[in-house]
Amino acid sequence: MDYMGYNRAQLNSRRISKVSKKVMVFIIPSLVKAGPVQTEVRFPYRGKLVNSYASCGTSGATTTTIDIEKCDQVAYDTVPRWESVFQNKITIDAKNKSNRTSTEPYSFKPSLETVNEDDHFRVNVIEAGEGVRDITVELVVELDVEEE
């Protein structure tokens, strides 16, 4: 095998054949207040919600409760109707930095786990812990990938 053939084979062996998951990231900078966050994200793929994670730069003295809401494209263009994707919402316990240590784990609503192309998402802070700052929320979607 010549040098170019060897390099090509090495590169091909390290390539990822398909991306199977994508992550939406919502950032709420500074002091966090209760209520819907004005940033809304369109997700241009089909898939299924598989994971979520929330963390904060400065933990709150009390519990922080976070919801993620979904709206389909048709409703978004007319009269947006936001629905929670969670059966049990994300909580960051008092004096903790993420939901990984939460005493109440989140769960998705089975009826809203499916993500359709062009669904929109937003964060709604249900309860802002006292003094909580700089929240980052991740929502992981496993894509519907067609095999070639």
Side-chain angles (χ1 to χ4, degrees), residues 1-15:
M1 179 183 298
D2 66 1
Y3 179 74
M4 293 300 286
Y6 174 79
N7 281 341
R8 193 172 305 121
Q10 289 297 312
L11 284 173
N12 285 335
S13 70
R14 288 187 263 169
R15 276 203 183 117

Side-chain angles (χ1 to χ4, degrees), residues 110-145:
S111 62
L112 290 172
E113 283 181 324
T114 299
V115 176
N116 295 306
E117 188 174 336
D118 297 333
D119 277 349
H120 289 253
F121 294 84
R122 73 176 183 185
V123 170
N124 187 356
V125 179
I126 303 301
E127 183 180 357
E130 183 184 330
V132 71
R133 297 179 70 90
D134 303 317
I135 290 179
T136 301
V137 181
E138 300 171 8
L139 184 61
V140 181
V141 178
E142 185 169 2
L143 302 178
D144 287 345
V145 179

Side-chain angles (χ1 to χ4, degrees), residues 30-134:
S30 196
L31 191 61
V32 178
K33 297 178 184 174
V37 176
Q38 296 305 308
T39 304
E40 300 163 352
V41 174
R42 180 183 68 91
F43 193 75
Y45 305 98
R46 290 186 330 265
K48 180 181 177 182
L49 301 175
V50 293
N51 198 359
S52 191
Y53 176 77
S55 62
C56 56
T58 302
S59 58
T62 57
T63 298
T64 299
T65 305
I66 298 168
D67 195 5
I68 298 175
E69 299 172 333
K70 176 169 92 165
C71 178
D72 66 48
Q73 182 68 53
V74 173
Y76 189 82
D77 288 336
T78 55
V79 179
R81 189 179 68 254
W82 295 98
E83 297 181 81
S84 173
V85 300
F86 292 119
Q87 196 161 339
N88 299 311
K89 295 173 182 24
I90 293 178
T91 57
I92 301 174
D93 291 336
K95 300 178 183 154
N96 283 278
K97 298 269 290 171
S98 79
N99 69 301
R100 293 278 187 244
T101 55
S102 176
T103 55
E104 299 177 34
Y106 74 88
S107 62
F108 292 112
K109 285 182 186 171
S111 62
L112 290 172
E113 283 181 324
T114 299
V115 176
N116 295 306
E117 188 174 336
D118 297 333
D119 277 349
H120 289 253
F121 294 84
R122 73 176 183 185
V123 170
N124 187 356
V125 179
I126 303 301
E127 183 180 357
E130 183 184 330
V132 71
R133 297 179 70 90
D134 303 317

